[in-house]
Amino acid sequence: MTAYLLIILPLVGAVVAAAWPDNRTRPWLLPVVGVGHALLCFWLLVFPPEVSTTAWLGFDPLARAVLPAVSLLYMVCAVYGVSYLKVRAERPNRVFVSVLLAVLGLLSAGHMSRHLGLLWIATEAVTLAAVPLLHFNGTPRAFEATWKYLLVGGTGIALSLLGSFCLGYASLHSGGTGDLTFATLMAQGAGLSRPWVLIAWVLLLVGYGTKMGLAPMHTWKPDAYGEAPGLVGAILAGGVTTVAFTAILRVRAVVSAAGEGGIADRTLLAIGLFSMLVAALFLLGTRDFKRMLAYSSVEHMGILSIGAALGGAGLWAALFHVWTNSLTKGALFLSAGNIRRAAGSASMDAVRGMTVLTPRSAAIFIAGMFAVTACPPFGPFFSELALVRAGFASGHGLAITLFLGCLLFAFFGITRVAFGIVDGRPRPAMRTEGRRFVETAGVILPPLALLGISVWLGLFTPPLLREVWQAAVTQLYPGS
Amino acid sequence: MNTNLNLLIGLAMGLNLIALGSSRLPSLIRAVSLQGMVLGVMPLLIEGVADWRLILVVVATVVGKGFVIPALLRRAMRAANIERELDPLIGFVPSLLLGAGGTIVAVAFASVLPLLPEHAGLLLVPGALASVLTGFILLIGRVKAISQVCGYLILENGIYLFGLLLIRSTPLLVEAGVLLDVTVGVFVIGIIVDRIQRAFDSLDTRKLTILRE
C-alpha cells in the first residue's frame, strides 16, 4: 500500500498548490513533495513491498530499478525550482507548480503500471499535463514548440493506443478473458496471435518511441527542450522519457514471450542506431545549446534502445544508463538554464565568454558535457562501457562499432557548441544583461549535486543497485 | 446486425473520402462530426442489449465527437476569423486518390489478418485502417491548424473503430480512448484559439517555422 503513496502524495500536493493563495511561498511545495517522494521511494528501494501478480499497479522490480532515479532527479529539480521561480517572480506560478507536482504523481503511476491500459492512461495524462509547463515562458516560440509537441506527441500517443488494442485483440485469440496485465499477457505466451502481436509491437514501438524521442519520431524534442525552462527540460529528459522506455521494455517482454523476441530485438537495435546517427549528425550542425541537449537526449535514448536489444547483460547496462544519463542530463539542463538566463539567448552566435559572466554554471556545464559524452570518471562512461561489453559478448561487433563511431561524432558536436559559448570574451551588451543574474547557491548547488551523484554512481556503484537492476532483468527475461 | 453495422462502417469510410475532398473548412468539420456520430451509435448495434454503462459511452461519444468538438472548432474558426478556403500542401485530387488507394490496401491487408469467429465478415478492421490513413493524409497534407485537428479526429475515429473489437472483453481500455478527445480539447482550447492566434496573428501552421535547424 505504501507504494500508492508515491502517486497520491504528489497529486494531493498538486491540489494544495492549486488552492495555495500566495505566489511567493507556493514554490516551496515543490521541494516539500519532492523530498517526501524521494524518501518514500528510497525506503521502498531498500525494503521492497510484495507485489501480487494480478495487481494493476505495483512497485515491481522494474519500477524499483528506475523510479528512484526519476524521484532523485525530481527532488533536486524541485529544490532548483524554488530559486528559479523566485527569479521569475513576475509570472504567476499557480498552474506551473500545480502541474509540475501532478506530473510527478503521473510519472510514478506510469512506472508502476503493470496493466497495458493503465500504462497508456498514465502516459497520455503526463503528455497532456506537460503542456502548460512547455509554454511557461509565454513567447511565440514557446507556443510554436507546444503546438508541435502536441501534434507529434498526440499522434504518437494515439498510435500507442491502437497498438494496445492490437495486443489486447491478440490475447483474445487464445481464449484470453480481457485481462490485460503484463503478467497475464506474458503467461499466455505462444498462445497470442502472432500477426496481431507483430502489428502491436510496431505500433507500440512507434507510439512510445515518439514519447521517448527515438528518431525519426524525435522532431518535437529540440523545439520543446529548447523553449521550456531548464528544469522542465531536465524532468522531461530524465523522467518522461524513462516512462516510455519502461513501457517499451514491458511490451518487449510480452512480444518475446509470444516467440517474436528476435524481431523485437532487431527493430530495437536498428531504431537505436538510427537515433544515434541522426542525433550525431544534428549535433554537428546545431548552433543552439539547449537544442543541443535535446539531440544529446535523442542520442541517449538510442543508447537505451540498443542496450535493451542486447539481451540480459545489455538490459542491465541500459538500466544503469537510465540512472547515469538522467542525473547527468539534469545537471546539464539546470546549468544551461542558468547560462541561458544570464546570456539572454541560447544561440552560440550570440553567446560567448560565459566563463566570465557565470563562472560556476559554465564550469558545471563543461564538466557535465564531459560526463554526457562518456568521459571517465563520470557515470555514463561506466554504463556505456558495460553496454559495449554486453554487445561484444553477445556477438554484435558491427553494431557496437557503429555505436562507438556515433559517440565520437556526438563528442565533436557537443564540445564544439559547449566550448563555443564558454570561451572568449562576452559581448559588451551581454555584460550589462549578465550582471543582473546572480549565481546564488540555490541555482548552483542542485546541478552540482546531480553531477556529484553521477560521479559517485560510476565509481562506487552500490551493490544494492546492481542487485535491483539484475532483479528487473530477471522480471523481463524470465527463464534466463 | 452485421449488415447494419457494415452499412454504418461503409458510411464512415465514405465520409473519409468526403473529408479528403472538402475544399472548405465548414464542410470538413461537418464530415468529421457526422463521422463521429455514426461511430458513436455503433456499440448499440454490436451489443444488441443496452445497459446503463453502454448507453453512457454511446451518449458521451455522440455528444463529444458530434457536437462539443465541432462546436469548439467552429468557435475557433470564427474567433480566429480565418479564411474558409483550405489551402492544401497535397492537392484535393491527389489526397482523394491516396485515400481511395489506402482504402483498397486496407481492405486487402485486413483480409490476411486472423479474426475471431464473431468478427468474421465485419468491416471494422479495414474501416479502422482506412480512417487512420485518412487521418495521416490530412495531418500531413493540410496547413491550417484546424484542418490538422480534423485530421487528428479522423485518425482517432479509426482507433475507436478498432476498439469496438474489444468492447465486450475490455470495455475499460476502449473507454479510456475518450482521453484522446480530451487531447483534442486541449489542442483547440489551449493552443489554437488563445495562443497561436494572438502570437502569430494567423492560424497558418506554415508560419510556425522559427524553430528549425
Side-chain angles (χ1 to χ4, degrees), chain A residues 56 115-118 120-121 124-125 128 131 135 139-148 150-151 154-155 157-159 161-162 164-166 168-169 172-173 176-180 193 195-196 199 222-224 227 282 285-287 291 295, chain B residues 109 112-116 119 125 128-129 132 136 139 144-146 148-149 152 155-156 158-160 162-166 169-170 172-174 176-177 179-180 182-183 186-187 190-192 195-196 199-200 205 207-213:
Chain A
W56 284 25
H115 183 275
L116 189 63
L118 201 60
W120 183 81
I121 293 172
E124 161 82 10
L128 289 183
V131 167
H135 63 63
T139 57
R141 294 165 62 104
F143 287 117
E144 177 180 341
T146 313
W147 169 256
K148 289 180 179 168
L150 258 180
L151 202 66
T155 309
I157 213 81
L159 290 181
L161 179 65
L162 188 58
S164 305
F165 283 166
C166 290
Y169 197 60
L172 292 185
H173 280 264
T177 51
D179 179 2
L180 293 183
S193 162
W196 286 111
I199 294 178
D223 299 345
E227 299 310 314
F282 276 98
T286 187
R287 304 193 64 77
R291 293 170 75 86
Y295 288 117
Chain B
F109 184 62
V112 292
L113 290 172
L115 286 179
L116 292 178
H119 298 135
V125 179
L129 293 176
V132 169
F136 270 119
L139 270 173
K144 293 252 167 67
I146 293 182
Q148 287 182 337
V149 174
Y152 187 80
L155 172 79
E156 192 204 312
I159 293 170
Y160 177 88
F162 194 90
L164 292 178
L165 289 174
L166 297 169
S169 57
T170 54
L172 178 92
L173 188 61
V174 181
L179 271 177
L180 284 179
V182 179
T183 316
V186 175
F187 262 121
I191 305 299
I192 308 181
R195 312 297 185 175
I196 297 185
F200 290 87
T205 50
K207 292 203 178 150
L208 302 183
T209 51
I210 308 172
L211 302 177
R212 60 175 172 178
E213 291 312 322

Side-chain angles (χ1 to χ4, degrees), chain A residues 228-283:
Chain A
L231 86 149
V232 174
I235 290 168
L236 284 180
V240 178
T241 53
T242 313
V243 170
F245 180 56
T246 53
I248 289 178
L249 288 181
R250 287 184 199 272
V251 173
R252 200 214 74 94
V254 173
V255 175
S256 173
E260 299 290 0
I263 291 180
D265 286 346
R266 278 198 293 281
T267 45
L268 275 174
L269 189 64
I271 206 169
L273 283 172
F274 184 68
S275 299
M276 289 191 73
L277 186 67
V278 168
L281 292 177
F282 276 98
L283 278 170

